[in-house]
Each structure stands twice: as C-alpha cells, then as structure tokens.
Amino acid sequence: MKLRLICSGMFALLFATSCYATTLRLDPNIDLLVLDGRKISGSLLKGAEGLELDSGEHQLLFRVEKVLDTSHGNVKRSYISAPLIVTFVAKAKSISIRLPALENLRDRRQFDKNSAFILVDEKGQTVESRRDRLPLLQGHQTDLEKALIAYNRNGKVASVPRFAQQPPLSMQQDKFPVDVVGANMPAERMLQLWFHQVDSATRQRLVSWMKALRPS
C-alpha cells in the first residue's frame, strides 16, 4: 500500500516536472560521458531516446563514436573523437546535437580540427551554445570527470564554475538535506524536495525505476 502511494505521488510529480523540462535527444553516434559534472552510466542510457533536463544552464561532455563502412572487409572499424564539451541554456522543448557528415577520412579529420557540431531545438533552430574540446594529457589523464572539474576551474570557453565545485559522485553522500530528514511533512512533499535537488542523471534513473514499478 505504501509503495503504491509513493508510486502515485512520484508519477504525479514526474508529470508536473515534464511541463517545464527539456528533452535532450540522444544520437546513436554520441557517447554521453558527463552531464552537469556527473559521470553518466552507459547502462543508464542503454535503449534511451533522451534525457530530461531542467530549464537552465547545462554542460555535456561527450564523444562521437561512429562505426565506419565495412563493405570492403569484415573487420569493424570505428571513429572516436576527442572528448567534446558543450554548454547551453535549456529553454526549448527538446534539444539535439547535430553532427556534420563523417562519412570519409577528410570529413573526420576536419571534424577533429574544428569540432563543428551545433545544437538544434525541436523546430530545427540553432540553440546558442559554447563549445570546446577537453584537453587531456595523453597517457596521464583518464578520469574525465576530474578532467572536466579542472577545466571548469580554469575559466575556459565552455566552463561552468558551479560544476567545478562539485566533488565526484562517489564522494557524495546520498541523503536528504538536514532540514528534510525526519521533518513532520507529507511523504509527497519530501519526495518533491528531494526530486528537485538531485542532478539530472539521478532523476533519470528514478524515472526508469518508477516506470518499471508502475502497475500494468
């Protein structure tokens, strides 16, 4: 009974939140690595068409991973770009990352030089953004989350200082704020406070979990 009430409350909250959320559409050739300072689990995005983002500023770290034409042989080859950063303000109903053609070696080399991707909304209009490449010391820096924190601290083109202040997710404690835990308030209100304070990745995991629990 309690689980059913919690589910009902969370679904009401999720539907209310969707009224002002922006959907980040995921291209199959894009590997999303970090969202708003937090690592993104590959299992979280498996089979997902998009992520729900709150209105406001967001920062993505991603790679382009494209399987190349194998018609001339059975060996699969892939193109993998450098880690790319894009910072933008979510206002539209949906946002997608639009990539240039990467069909031949010349296209891919050109993309490696200029990283010429753009963001577009659901109407195909360009969304204003700041773009950059994440500098890595080859063979020395493998933790992309820490590398992005360092990037955000240095006032670069696509830096977001508030994401530089967040420790890695593994160092954070998963708990309610002190003024909420044990407070004499309805469970739905506690869930609302918690839901609106967590990061987008955690919220997306909760959405998936709630869908799995939803009665048929």
Side-chain angles (χ1 to χ4, degrees), residues 5-203:
L5 289 174
I6 291 174
C7 289
S8 299
M10 285 306 302
F11 272 110
L13 177 59
L14 292 176
F15 290 135
T17 302
S18 65
C19 295
Y20 57 83
T22 294
T23 300
L24 174 65
R25 300 294 181 187
L26 300 175
D27 187 291
N29 292 321
I30 288 178
D31 181 18
L32 184 57
L33 304 169
V34 180
L35 169 62
D36 293 348
R38 311 288 184 86
K39 284 183 180 179
I40 295 293
S41 168
S43 60
L44 168 67
L45 300 179
K46 187 176 182 180
E49 296 181 355
L51 292 174
E52 295 299 316
L53 303 177
D54 291 337
S55 58
E57 188 176 42
H58 294 278
Q59 183 186 62
L60 309 178
L61 178 68
F62 68 94
R63 279 194 180 107
V64 177
E65 295 191 6
K66 181 178 177 65
V67 177
L68 305 179
D69 182 17
T70 59
S71 59
H72 300 293
N74 295 324
V75 179
K76 288 187 177 181
R77 297 182 300 124
S78 297
Y79 165 75
I80 301 177
S81 74
L84 302 172
I85 305 168
V86 60
T87 299
F88 61 96
V89 176
K91 295 180 181 178
K93 183 178 180 180
S94 68
I95 291 178
S96 304
I97 300 174
R98 179 175 292 176
L99 302 172
L102 298 171
E103 299 303 323
N104 55 56
L105 182 59
R106 181 180 178 182
D107 291 340
R108 296 189 290 273
R109 285 179 174 175
Q110 187 66 24
F111 185 74
D112 287 337
K113 291 180 180 179
N114 58 27
S115 304
F117 66 91
I118 61 172
L119 301 186
V120 296
D121 62 17
E122 70 278 3
K123 298 178 181 179
Q125 300 297 313
T126 300
V127 175
E128 184 177 352
S129 63
R130 293 178 283 129
R131 301 174 298 278
D132 202 0
R133 190 177 308 179
L134 182 66
L136 297 175
L137 297 176
Q138 189 171 7
H140 295 279
Q141 180 60 268
T142 57
D143 191 323
L144 296 177
E145 188 178 28
K146 289 182 179 179
L148 189 56
I149 288 174
Y151 176 93
N152 284 325
R153 287 174 179 164
N154 291 327
K156 301 291 186 178
V157 174
S159 289
V160 181
R162 66 189 177 94
F163 296 145
Q165 299 172 3
Q166 294 179 341
L169 185 60
S170 60
M171 296 175 59
Q172 295 187 2
Q173 295 181 353
D174 295 328
K175 61 181 182 180
F176 289 106
V178 174
D179 60 345
V180 174
V181 175
N184 185 20
M185 64 174 64
E188 182 179 351
R189 176 57 179 157
M190 292 181 67
L191 288 170
Q192 287 177 345
L193 291 173
W194 179 81
F195 188 83
H196 287 293
Q197 68 150 350
V198 298
D199 60 280
S200 297
T202 301
R203 187 178 295 115

